[in-house]
Amino acid sequence: MVKLQLRKYHVMVSVIIPVYNAERYIKSCLDSLAAQTYPFERMEVILADDGSSDASAAICRKYAEDFANIIFLHQENKGVSAARNLGLSHASGKYIFFLDADDGLTPNTVEDCVKFFDSVQNKVDLITYPIETYYHGKKLKPHFRYEYLKKSGIYDLRKNAFIGQTTMNIVVKNKFSENVLFDEGQTYSEDQSYCCEILKAKLKMGFCRTAGYIYYRSAESSSGRLAGACYIFEQSLAFFEGLFAPYENVPLAFQGLFVNDIYWKMQSNIFFPYHYPEEQYEKSMCRVRSLLQKCYNSVILDHPSIDFFEKFFLLRLKGKGNIVPFIGRGEIALYSEGHLALQEKSLEIVIVKVKAEGTAIKILGFLKSAFFQFYEKAPQFYAIENGQRERELLLSPSTCNYYLSHEPTQRFWRMEYICSAKEVGKAEFYAVIGGQKFPVHYYFMPLTPFCNNYSYKTGSVEITVHQDNVWNFFLGAKKKETDRVWLYYDCKGVAMDNGLRQFLHDSQKRDGITRYYVVSDERQEQYIFDYGRKVAFGSSKHKRLMVKAEKIITAYIENNNIFPFEPWEYELYANRFRFETIYLQHGVLHINMPWKYSPEKIIADKIVVSVRHETELLMKNGYKETDLWKVMMPRFDELPGKSRGEKRILYAPSWRSYLVGENRNNKWDLLTEKYLASNFFRGMQAFVCSGELQELLEEYGYGMDIKLHPIFAEYGGLLETGGRDIRLIQEVQEEEYSLFVTDFSSYLFDFLFMGTPVVSFIPDFEEFRCGMNGYRDVDFLHKVSSAQVAKKPEEAVDKIKGFLETGKGMDYTADFYRNQGKRSSKELIYERLMSGSRP
């Protein structure tokens, strides 16, 4: 810890700039100071280099040589908090500004903040000013706190719930030896902790409206500090426990900080400590609940940026008794501390799909109300058909309960209505809660045909929804199809996958179907036969074909991979879509992701499955068994029956969503520094460079190939391979390998299909288990003991040694739907496509 000396200030302003590998930014940062209306030469600028490995230190040293008011300090890499503390130990200004090396200040900031601080000198120890955030060149929406911080002045943290200060757009008094220091042991939200520590003394904060901090947000700006519950949960919880501890009535601003902290982390899927054993998890959530119980309900309900439904989840998380449900005549209500928080006289049904197959009509949706969170029973739901016959529809928990995160925070109820237009001409719905009858109203999702037009015709059926919530079904003559169009898809970045395989097979048929392969990657074109039709993804022709398509056959199910429109355009076309979607998949689904793979979430009407656990998983999440085609993916047609048993090992880890940035134009932004600092890369590097591994390979005469996931292919040059016969490869021939090493890649099912032993090595097991990769629950982790999964490089080497000695991998098998006879999966899929949805 840096020692501060007691001394008097010699200048009015000190600006502390921590520097780490900022050679590209430091000049523009200093230029923003030189451009201030406050004289630059009267500022003390402290550049605290935190062990940069680029030219930052040399650049900073040169500035210090050229300008008498610039001080250059250097330390070994200890983190941004230590760098700021180093700067504090040398600051001699009356007021201290903090500025990151890749950010800047508006020209009047220093002058206006100094004048303002002078005017409130005895009342506050910290002032803040507006922050403007830019990302990829675009200015982002201001933080919600600026809805409350509108005028320059002093704000009481005991009376304002939503003004908590968490970032470095601040100015503090220089108290020298009595200065608050940054906690160098805190690796996340250290800015928030520092601000709160200063503000605790007076619980008042100044705000200078006319100044401005320019924050250039970057996915790499927190390089090496990965956000996930396994890193930040305990730190964050301990911080808030310490912050709340001194108060019987916690200041409103601190309550607001905690509530907001939970919410944004939930949205980012980094809040819940899933990596903990069950007992520890429950104890941790009790600690969260204890803190929430110190927050007023009104702070949650009045929060300006928390989603309405998630507010009630937080109140439910807070504990029983905080919200009281009420069922009255013709209304349901929720009361918070005696005040009405929710009142509904009609229930909303969100319609996610409307399909007509022949004369059969299917309507899929869910009942959506915050009331259900506090009502223990499921509501009853009824359809009145033809104005007289009443039929109860069974409800089940909706997968849309995974609402804005990967946690089931809601209690919505899935409804499905199926009828025949031959028998039912009119249907209306109502719900019963606590013996009371409630009408319904509808919200149509953008891809449903009624999102902008309440009449829809497909085949021989016309469906109309009236304003009084009555559905009418009309059965007429079926329009003769003169041009039957089917579209086949893979995705950008893929040269050959199941969509193209099936297209090449089906295009050889002479059956009256006009087939197009939607080209999203130029490499795909080399495989298309001369007589195969193709269309460029996103072209005007592609858009025309979408509204004519009878079927879409795709290996990738994401909307942006299928629709050549922007999301805001969906509702313009939805009423014209008639297609059935068949999801071939691009790999075996062995990950439980109910927030994605369910009928309520994806447009797939039928799904090709290859192994039994896929059927179990998809049925658990709402698909019927008749919607699942148990014929295996086309890729299995081309796999050899078994390995040739060559003395080669394939190591093919999957990718990590937390080690890439945004996906822009189907290309992921790479985060090289985070990648290099991750346990994933370090573990992988230590494994392939292990001396013991190299000795084993030499002893047994084996070689090892490394195949990186295509998303991580550009990281390939960062990996040192070590041994003579360890090499990076671009293409895989599965039959060449006698052992497959992976983490949880679905590639492993290719090798299980061939009977090749498999070893699992997950070097970032904690990160995986807490959900940092977007999922945390794969099939084999339920079917093998934890000891069979390598979590450290040396354990992975031990597993390979075990294989070399015994010929065995981990004890995991998959129950494939192997086809009888010699008929291929492609032929079986073709038959299903031609015959409809025959089970």
Side-chain angles (χ1 to χ4, degrees):
M1 184 68 70
V2 175
K3 286 189 175 182
L4 301 183
Q5 301 300 316
L6 179 61
R7 50 193 170 91
K8 294 184 178 180
Y9 60 82
H10 300 293
V11 293
M12 185 64 72
V13 172
S14 292
V15 183
I16 296 175
I17 304 176
V19 178
Y20 180 75
N21 290 350
E23 62 180 7
R24 292 178 294 169
Y25 313 113
I26 190 65
K27 182 180 184 301
S28 61
C29 176
L30 293 173
D31 285 347
S32 80
L33 294 180
Q36 291 293 303
T37 57
Y38 190 90
F40 178 65
E41 63 274 9
R42 290 170 55 188
M43 301 179 206
E44 176 185 69
V45 180
I46 302 173
L47 300 172
D49 179 63
D50 185 40
S52 296
S53 58
D54 65 1
S56 295
I59 294 170
C60 292
R61 188 177 290 108
K62 183 68 167 62
Y63 271 109
E65 292 171 357
D66 292 345
F67 295 90
N69 63 320
I70 295 181
I71 300 170
F72 171 66
L73 306 172
H74 174 79
Q75 65 177 19
E76 295 301 315
N77 182 245
K78 298 179 183 178
V80 66
S81 292
R84 287 174 179 153
N85 286 341
L86 181 63
L88 282 168
S89 71
H90 287 77
S92 63
K94 179 179 181 180
Y95 300 125
I96 298 174
F97 289 72
F98 295 93
L99 179 60
D100 284 352
D102 51 355
D103 296 334
L105 302 176
T106 56
N108 58 307
T109 294
V110 174
E111 181 178 8
D112 287 7
C113 284
V114 168
K115 287 180 180 178
F116 177 73
F117 217 151
D118 280 344
S119 71
V120 296
Q121 172 67 218
N122 297 323
K123 298 177 182 178
V124 298
D125 296 323
L126 176 151
I127 69 167
T128 183
Y129 53 97
I131 186 169
E132 297 176 8
T133 303
Y134 292 84
Y135 190 52
H136 293 309
K138 293 183 179 180
K139 186 177 180 179
L140 303 185
K141 182 181 177 181
H143 192 277
F144 66 78
R145 68 171 62 92
Y146 299 114
E147 296 176 27
Y148 304 90
L149 296 172
K150 292 184 176 180
K151 297 180 180 180
S152 295
I154 297 174
Y155 289 78
D156 193 328
L157 274 67
R158 292 165 293 195
K159 298 178 181 179
N160 296 275
F162 309 120
I163 63 169
Q165 183 62 30
T166 61
T167 47
M168 286 288 94
N169 52 317
I170 60 171
V171 188
V172 300
K173 290 177 183 175
N174 192 350
K175 297 184 178 182
F176 299 102
S177 62
E178 297 178 2
N179 273 336
V180 169
L181 296 180
F182 289 83
D183 183 350
E184 296 179 18
Q186 187 171 352
T187 59
Y188 206 84
S189 296
E190 69 282 346
D191 298 355
Q192 175 176 258
S193 178
Y194 177 77
C195 293
C196 290
E197 191 63 30
I198 293 175
L199 291 168
K200 282 195 299 187
K202 293 180 178 175
L203 292 177
K204 290 185 179 179
M205 178 178 73
F207 175 65
C208 179
R209 184 185 64 83
T210 57
Y213 187 104
I214 309 299
Y215 169 42
Y216 297 103
R217 182 178 139 201
S218 166
E220 283 276 45
S221 60
S222 299
S223 179
R225 300 187 305 159
L226 298 171
C230 59
Y231 294 111
I232 65 176
F233 181 80
E234 287 299 333
Q235 280 191 31
S236 295
L237 204 55
F239 163 69
F240 281 108
E241 287 172 335
L243 184 64
F244 282 23
Y247 306 103
E248 184 174 344
N249 295 306
V250 177
L252 287 178
F254 294 164
Q255 294 184 35
L257 282 179
F258 180 59
V259 169
N260 189 67
D261 189 78
I262 295 178
Y263 178 63
W264 79 259
K265 287 176 180 173
M266 279 172 45
Q267 282 189 302
S268 303
N269 295 305
I270 61 174
F271 176 70
F272 296 97
Y274 298 115
H275 58 297
Y276 284 164
E278 185 175 352
E279 184 177 348
Q280 186 179 1
Y281 179 90
E282 292 303 323
K283 288 181 179 178
S284 296
M285 295 313 295
C286 284
R287 291 168 63 194
V288 172
R289 190 170 294 111
S290 295
L291 290 172
L292 274 174
Q293 288 167 354
K294 296 182 179 181
C295 299
Y296 301 149
N297 284 9
S298 58
V299 171
I300 298 173
L301 289 169
D302 295 340
H303 197 288
S305 71
I306 296 181
D307 176 85
F308 177 79
F309 291 92
E310 297 292 55
K311 288 178 180 181
F312 288 96
F313 168 72
L314 291 177
L315 290 168
R316 178 158 61 95
L317 185 61
K318 184 177 176 180
K320 291 184 178 180
N322 289 286
I323 293 291
V324 178
F326 171 78
I327 304 173
R329 190 166 185 176
E331 72 168 9
I332 52 176
L334 297 174
Y335 285 88
S336 165
E337 298 167 341
H339 300 283
L340 183 65
L342 174 77
Q343 183 182 46
E344 293 179 336
K345 296 183 179 181
S346 173
L347 285 176
E348 180 178 74
I349 302 180
V350 177
I351 302 296
V352 296
K353 279 185 183 176
V354 178
K355 288 286 184 179
E357 298 178 8
T359 62
I361 296 167
K362 181 168 77 172
I363 301 169
L364 180 65
F366 61 92
L367 277 69
K368 183 180 182 183
S369 175
F371 179 84
F372 298 141
Q373 298 219 38
F374 305 93
Y375 182 64
E376 297 299 325
K377 301 178 181 178
Q380 295 169 284
F381 192 67
Y382 296 88
I384 302 176
E385 298 175 329
N386 298 327
Q388 51 185 350
R389 187 177 63 185
E390 191 170 83
R391 176 155 64 106
E392 183 173 4
L393 306 180
L394 296 179
L395 301 177
S396 58
S398 170
T399 53
C400 291
N401 289 333
Y402 295 85
Y403 182 53
L404 296 179
S405 70
H406 296 169
E407 174 72 9
T409 60
Q410 301 301 314
R411 294 191 72 213
F412 304 148
W413 294 97
R414 180 183 188 269
M415 59 78 62
E416 184 177 56
Y417 176 68
I418 300 174
C419 72
S420 169
K422 287 182 177 180
E423 300 174 358
V424 179
K426 182 175 75 170
E428 53 190 309
F429 304 96
Y430 70 90
V432 174
I433 301 175
Q436 297 292 314
K437 183 176 179 180
F438 292 91
V440 299
H441 61 276
Y442 303 102
Y443 174 82
F444 295 96
M445 294 296 284
L447 282 170
T448 57
F450 304 104
C451 56
N452 71 344
N453 189 324
Y454 293 97
S455 182
Y456 173 62
K457 185 169 179 25
T458 176
S460 59
V461 175
E462 182 175 348
I463 307 173
T464 303
V465 183
H466 294 278
Q467 291 184 349
D468 58 0
N469 297 331
V470 174
W471 296 67
N472 286 114
F473 311 122
F474 302 97
L475 185 61
K478 184 175 182 179
K479 181 181 177 182
K480 186 176 181 181
E481 297 289 347
T482 57
D483 187 12
R484 300 178 65 189
V485 174
W486 292 8
L487 302 181
Y488 294 71
Y489 291 78
D490 291 305
C491 77
K492 187 175 178 62
V494 171
M496 168 69 80
D497 214 322
N498 289 319
L500 185 50
R501 289 185 174 99
Q502 192 65 41
F503 173 76
L504 296 178
H505 172 274
D506 295 356
S507 291
Q508 300 178 59
K509 306 291 185 178
R510 296 293 178 263
D511 50 19
I513 309 295
T514 303
R515 295 178 172 85
Y516 290 87
Y517 183 75
V518 182
V519 176
S520 53
D521 190 294
E522 62 182 15
R523 294 174 298 170
Q524 297 160 352
E525 298 197 41
Q526 65 183 303
Y527 299 103
I528 298 175
F529 298 152
D530 291 338
Y531 55 84
R533 295 179 177 89
K534 62 186 178 182
V535 60
F537 184 93
S539 64
S540 57
K541 184 177 181 179
H542 183 201
K543 293 179 180 180
R544 292 195 301 272
L545 289 172
M546 284 291 294
V547 299
K548 295 179 64 176
E550 176 184 287
K551 293 185 189 293
I552 283 178
I553 301 101
T554 179
Y556 296 82
I557 201 61
E558 293 76 15
N559 286 344
N560 65 348
N561 182 68
I562 293 170
F563 293 99
F565 318 107
E566 295 296 325
W568 64 267
E569 295 180 289
Y570 287 173
E571 63 185 39
L572 302 178
Y573 293 89
N575 194 256
R576 301 167 64 188
F577 294 147
R578 304 291 187 272
F579 55 77
E580 178 186 47
T581 305
I582 292 83
Y583 182 26
L584 301 178
Q585 302 202 75
H586 58 280
V588 170
L589 178 65
H590 63 303
I591 299 167
N592 187 22
M593 298 173 68
W595 51 85
K596 179 176 180 179
Y597 293 106
S598 81
E600 298 168 81
K601 292 290 189 175
I602 56 176
I603 66 169
D605 299 299
K606 312 297 179 187
I607 301 179
V608 171
V609 291
S610 303
V611 296
R612 186 173 302 280
H613 74 247
E614 287 184 298
T615 299
E616 296 167 353
L617 195 60
L618 290 164
M619 288 180 64
K620 174 184 173 184
N621 292 334
Y623 276 100
K624 293 182 172 62
E625 191 166 6
T626 52
D627 297 328
L628 307 176
W629 293 358
K630 303 173 185 178
V631 295
M632 301 203 305
M633 293 180 294
R635 66 179 294 135
F636 287 110
D637 289 341
E638 299 167 20
L639 286 177
K642 62 180 181 177
S643 165
R644 295 200 299 257
E646 295 183 18
K647 289 190 170 185
R648 296 208 68 80
I649 298 169
L650 177 64
Y651 174 40
S654 189
W655 69 294
R656 301 296 190 271
S657 61
Y658 68 90
L659 295 178
V660 292
E662 289 188 4
N663 187 332
R664 293 183 286 168
N665 298 319
N666 287 313
K667 183 176 176 60
W668 293 94
D669 292 336
L670 299 184
L671 306 178
T672 303
E673 291 186 32
K674 283 190 175 180
Y675 178 77
L676 290 172
S678 68
N679 287 332
F680 171 73
F681 173 77
R682 290 176 175 176
M684 182 168 59
Q685 181 69 83
F687 168 60
V688 299
C689 287
S690 164
E692 185 179 355
L693 174 64
Q694 293 169 30
E695 290 174 6
L696 280 172
L697 295 178
E698 290 179 11
E699 179 184 350
Y700 285 86
Y702 268 73
M704 187 167 78
D705 293 341
I706 304 168
K707 173 66 171 68
L708 297 181
H709 191 281
I711 293 174
F712 277 5
E714 291 186 47
Y715 287 142
L718 302 173
L719 187 70
E720 298 177 12
T721 56
R724 286 181 310 177
D725 206 11
I726 299 178
R727 65 189 185 187
L728 279 165
I729 61 170
Q730 300 300 318
E731 300 294 334
V732 171
Q733 299 296 323
E734 287 92 339
E735 68 273 16
E736 295 179 359
Y737 302 100
S738 55
L739 176 67
F740 179 53
V741 181
T742 188
D743 37 27
F744 40 78
S745 167
S746 64
Y747 223 155
L748 68 89
F749 289 92
D750 289 3
F751 291 93
L752 292 174
F753 179 80
M754 298 189 307
T756 306
V758 175
V759 163
S760 176
F761 169 40
I762 309 178
D764 54 345
F765 191 76
E766 286 286 284
E767 290 88 339
F768 168 71
R769 289 298 290 163
C770 77
M772 283 179 64
N773 201 42
Y775 46 78
R776 58 187 183 274
D777 189 13
V778 299
D779 183 70
F780 71 80
L781 289 178
H782 294 284
K783 296 176 180 176
V784 303
S785 67
S786 178
Q788 289 197 55
V789 179
K791 306 170 186 69
K792 297 179 181 179
E794 56 269 27
E795 293 175 358
V797 175
D798 284 343
K799 303 296 181 190
I800 290 177
K801 182 179 180 181
F803 161 76
L804 293 172
E805 292 174 346
T806 67
K808 296 180 180 180
M810 68 176 177
D811 187 20
Y812 177 66
T813 58
D815 188 2
F816 286 90
Y817 295 120
R818 294 182 184 270
N819 302 323
Q820 295 181 357
K822 295 184 178 180
R823 292 196 301 164
S824 69
S825 294
K826 291 189 283 287
E827 184 64 23
L828 292 171
I829 291 170
Y830 172 77
E831 291 177 5
R832 293 292 183 93
L833 289 169
M834 294 301 295
S835 64
S837 56
R838 186 181 65 207

